[in-house]
Amino acid sequence: MNRGFITVVILIGTCFGVIAQSSSKNSLSASQTIRGKIIDYVSEQPVVGASITLLNSQKGTQTDAEGSFSFGKMPIGRYQVQVSSVGYESQTISELLLESGKEMVLEIRLHTSANQLAEAVVRAPSANLSGAVTSIQSISTEQIFRYPGTYLDPARLATAYAGVANSNDQANGLIIRGNSPNGMQWRLEGIEIVNPNHLSNAGTFSDRVTQNSGGVNILSAQLLGNMSFLTGAFPAEYGNALSGVMDMRLRKGNDKEHEFTAQAGLIGIDLAAEGPIGKNGASYLVNYRYSFTGLLVTMGVKFGGEDIRFQDLAFNLNFPTKKAGTFTLFGMGGLSTNVFAAVRDTSQWVVQKDGFDINYKNRMGAAGLTHSMSLGKRILWRTVIASSGLKNTREGYVLSKVNYQKFLIQADSSTRVKTSATSSLSYKFNDRADLKVGVFVTQQYDELFARSADKRANGNAKGLIIQPYANLHWVILPKLSTNIGLHYLRYTFNQTKSVEPRFSLQYKLSNNQTLSFAYGLHSQLQQPEIYFALATQNSAFLGNATLDVTKSHHYVLSHQYSLKKGSYFKTELFYQQIFNVPAALLNPTFSTLNLVEDFTPEPLQNAGMGRNYGLELTYQQYLTNGFYALTNATLYNATYKNSDGIERNSRFNGKHIFNLTLGKEWERSKNRILGTSIRVIWLGGFYEREVNEQASIDNKRLIYKNADAFTVKQPDYFRPDFRIYLKKSKEKYSRTLALDIQNIANYQNVSYSYYDILQNKIVRQYQLGLIPILSYRWEF
């Protein structure tokens, strides 16, 4: 019998055994506090006299002069909070969970509205801080903990949304509407940062590092607050990205009570603390995590023969003042290593990798200061200063079969440092118009060395990335509003620049229907390996350093129909015309749109094009009466074209993405919640390069029929994930026991094919199989 299946049966049986045992015990009903603040979306001024109602209990209150409210000694469980105020759009905040181990502290932003008779808009706990009217998802920490197969990582949760696919089970790379994972951007506290992921070589064909993905996010979900995930036609504030933006914000620590969290699972051991600093509303939030795989390695247990370790530390300190605004100091840092050591016994070598020693190291850090201050009742001034850096090294050695002597055949080293400052002013003219203007200035330093048997990249670059922007939001009529914006990008290293108009229009067809359109011209700098691909050691010549930015026109048409009881149906049509794509002068099949971690040693010019278009259908039911659902279907096409005029399938042209997520919770008693959820993913297969089998066998090395043409369509990808959890609350603490099973069917999904010199044949490599993740969480 399959060992993985036996393991799952044992783990599920254990969980249900604990549940049955715990359910037989009676305890007093636990309670906790629900409190928060209501502020204006634009000016962040407190909304005084707003009405707040807890729909589950029908208890209500109003905000005070500071916009604050509080409900004390509320029974633990799920809540919906309805907020209304004269001159503002009413909101119902869903999917809120009150547990005895933590107070529920909310910050709710209200939009002004001319229609006081409209029904309350149902929203997730995370606010949309981007201003986007299409292609936007708000992600909450509670969703990350509740959905199956997330590894407590916001990027993996993002793959549950329409138009988004994972590049590989081992990594969190995001393929958005047919674009390469290289097209997206990571932000922290509103500013672009370096790749914030551990093990950034995870899941790649060549084992080289990527610029935007990794095994798991360095930021633990315990620190995350409001997150916005954008997938197209971004507002004017966003630049230097082609496919998507993950805009992460840190939550504030509790400013009245000291609270602690301990969590143990396959991802790692998490320890978090938060609480007040003094008596003036200041607070701290800090989290440390050490990988569970690292602990196992110290006991002699390895995963696939690999020594995988990581650890990270992050913090957020909040200091409000009476007259000088609010200051926050934040930081994060992570270390990760992956060491594979060949067994010094050739009789145990089965595949090519068994004859290699591979050493990989990753160091990442970021720190910054934010300041926000109201200048009167109409102006909000916000400034962020931050620096982030990333260092990756990788060495690959092949071993001699005679004496196991090591020979270096691959060496990679990359460094990226971003030192950034941004400042913005938001001015609210009246209830119908507001203006936001700002600028990002980033000094970026890149250094890269990459060497393998057939190519080399070497070089460094230092320059300023200057990005001013402006956006006017105007309610033209009670049912019609628009955003008109402009973004400018200039990179001083090679003097490239781009002027980018942005525009959106939203019309309320009825109280529960909206029709929206958005357009944007976007651009992105090239990856370092593209700039430095022709550089030679000890030479200042950079063959591709003068490449212009890649640009893209985004068009999105969206219709949303809000249903009763917290659900909606949304349809989006998208069209993306990509141009200025680096293409090879002598090779019409090469395009940077197909790259992830690789590069080409050929001269390039901005002569390529790409086109992505499709249809997305989404139905979402927020958690109501113990049930929630998120299902979507995406039909799309992604192609590229070079100088020969032939339109080819891009590497990530899977044609379709289907997601189904269903979840149910039962309140087994006043203090216990049993929950379960399942997610099913069905993706169209991506394309890979065709291996020339006979030439590879004859030459004893991997040879493609065309090294840059992705012509072989892989089989469809299918993966079901399952999660079951039990939440128990006592008077002073709460606990969660969860079992998360990725790929519960143990389905074999293709990763790539390659020629294996030991087996002397083409070998198909598969992605991850069944992975059970048992975790225990304690909040007090």
Side-chain angles (χ1 to χ4, degrees), residues 25-217:
K25 300 178 181 179
N26 295 319
S27 61
L28 296 175
S29 178
S31 64
Q32 189 51 274
T33 297
I34 300 175
R35 61 184 177 91
K37 190 173 184 179
I38 312 297
I39 60 176
D40 183 274
Y41 180 85
V42 177
S43 67
E44 296 189 1
Q45 288 288 309
V47 179
V48 181
S51 298
I52 299 96
T53 304
L54 302 181
L55 298 182
N56 311 56
S57 65
Q58 295 303 316
K59 289 190 175 182
T61 188
Q62 288 188 331
T63 56
D64 59 20
E66 301 296 324
S68 300
F69 67 92
S70 180
F71 296 91
K73 295 184 178 180
M74 298 300 301
I76 63 102
R78 293 284 179 182
Y79 284 89
Q80 285 184 305
V81 176
Q82 188 173 84
V83 184
S84 61
S85 182
V86 176
Y88 288 93
E89 178 186 80
S90 297
Q91 290 188 24
T92 299
I93 311 300
S94 193
E95 300 190 332
L96 297 172
L97 175 63
L98 180 65
E99 297 182 276
S100 59
K102 281 187 180 295
E103 290 187 336
M104 183 189 294
V105 183
L106 303 173
E107 182 181 84
I108 301 174
R109 296 168 179 255
L110 294 184
H111 295 260
T112 55
S113 174
N115 186 3
Q116 296 299 306
L117 300 179
E119 296 181 4
V121 177
V122 180
R123 301 185 188 275
S126 285
N128 172 14
L129 301 180
S130 70
V133 298
T134 66
S135 305
I136 173 71
Q137 297 291 342
S138 295
I139 296 176
S140 71
T141 303
E142 193 275 335
Q143 288 175 309
I144 297 174
F145 282 112
R146 177 160 41 92
Y147 278 48
T150 67
Y151 285 5
L152 308 183
D153 185 333
R156 293 181 187 270
L157 173 62
T159 61
Y161 296 114
V164 186
N166 197 350
S167 60
N168 190 284
D169 287 345
Q170 297 183 47
N172 60 7
L174 298 180
I175 297 167
I176 302 171
R177 293 175 171 174
N179 288 279
S180 164
N182 291 342
M184 76 161 288
Q185 178 188 108
W186 290 90
R187 285 192 173 195
L188 180 62
E189 293 299 304
I191 204 163
E192 184 180 358
I193 61 172
V194 299
N195 185 1
N197 294 291
H198 287 298
L199 305 168
S200 53
N201 66 332
T204 61
F205 172 77
S206 66
D207 204 36
R208 284 194 164 105
V209 300
T210 64
Q211 295 294 326
N212 286 321
S213 62
V216 65
N217 198 297

Side-chain angles (χ1 to χ4, degrees), residues 245-518:
V245 179
M246 181 65 76
D247 195 352
M248 303 182 295
R249 305 295 173 109
L250 301 174
R251 67 180 180 88
K252 300 174 184 177
N254 193 318
D255 61 356
K256 292 186 178 181
E257 300 287 341
H258 292 280
E259 297 174 340
F260 306 92
T261 302
Q263 178 171 290
L266 183 62
I267 301 302
I269 308 297
D270 265 275
L271 301 172
E274 61 183 289
I277 302 174
K279 298 181 180 180
N280 298 318
S283 65
Y284 71 91
L285 173 62
V286 62
N287 186 90
Y288 174 75
R289 177 174 58 179
Y290 190 84
S291 62
F292 186 70
T293 54
L295 295 175
L296 291 180
V297 168
T298 61
M299 296 184 289
V301 180
K302 297 183 179 181
F303 281 77
E306 297 185 14
D307 178 345
I308 302 174
R309 310 180 191 213
F310 64 83
Q311 59 181 315
D312 48 65
L313 175 70
F315 64 88
N316 189 31
L317 309 178
N318 184 61
F319 301 97
T321 66
K322 291 183 178 181
K323 296 183 178 181
T326 299
F327 296 86
T328 67
L329 179 65
F330 65 91
M332 61 182 289
L335 303 172
S336 59
T337 60
N338 186 349
V339 177
F340 180 85
V343 177
R344 267 55 176 176
D345 181 359
T346 56
S347 64
Q348 297 186 40
W349 293 3
V350 178
V351 295
Q352 182 173 308
K353 184 180 177 180
D354 293 338
F356 281 77
D357 279 356
I358 302 173
N359 302 316
Y360 169 78
K361 294 181 181 180
N362 172 294
R363 292 181 295 169
M364 184 271 173
L369 176 71
T370 76
H371 174 244
S372 59
M373 181 178 181
S374 295
L375 305 177
K377 294 185 177 181
R378 295 182 180 273
I379 301 176
L380 175 67
W381 178 30
R382 188 172 192 272
T383 301
V384 183
I385 301 173
S387 182
S388 60
L390 176 65
K391 173 73 173 180
N392 291 289
T393 59
R394 179 186 175 277
E395 296 175 338
Y397 299 87
V398 64
L399 272 63
S400 167
K401 289 185 177 181
V402 179
N403 56 9
Y404 304 114
Q405 182 179 354
K406 299 198 304 183
F407 298 92
L408 180 66
I409 63 169
Q410 291 180 338
D412 296 274
S413 175
S414 64
T415 300
R416 168 166 282 186
V417 179
K418 290 178 177 285
T419 302
S420 306
T422 179
S423 191
S424 65
L425 284 174
S426 299
Y427 180 72
K428 187 173 182 178
F429 295 103
N430 49 47
D431 290 344
R432 297 180 59 182
D434 56 83
L435 174 68
K436 184 175 184 179
V437 295
V439 63
F440 293 89
V441 179
T442 300
Q443 180 175 273
Q444 180 169 295
Y445 175 76
D446 287 299
E447 182 177 319
L448 176 72
F449 175 78
R451 190 193 76 179
S452 59
D454 58 344
K455 52 192 170 185
R456 178 192 298 267
N458 184 34
N460 62 78
K462 184 177 182 180
L464 290 177
I465 305 172
I466 304 169
Q467 300 177 83
Y469 66 91
N471 185 82
L472 173 67
H473 174 249
W474 178 27
V475 180
I476 305 171
L477 298 170
K479 293 186 177 183
L480 181 66
S481 62
T482 184
N483 284 282
I484 304 171
L486 187 67
H487 187 99
Y488 175 79
L489 182 146
R490 184 186 178 204
Y491 185 31
T492 62
F493 167 67
N494 57 11
Q495 302 302 319
T496 54
K497 58 187 177 181
S498 177
V499 179
E500 303 165 9
R502 313 289 172 85
F503 173 77
S504 69
L505 198 65
Q506 185 174 68
Y507 182 71
K508 292 186 178 181
L509 299 170
S510 63
N511 286 341
N512 61 346
Q513 289 190 72
T514 58
L515 183 65
S516 305
F517 170 79

Side-chain angles (χ1 to χ4, degrees), residues 743-758:
N743 197 357
I744 192 171
N746 201 26
Y747 193 86
Q748 283 193 318
N749 292 301
V750 174
S751 182
Y752 55 83
S753 301
Y754 74 102
Y755 167 75
D756 193 288
I757 192 171
L758 285 183

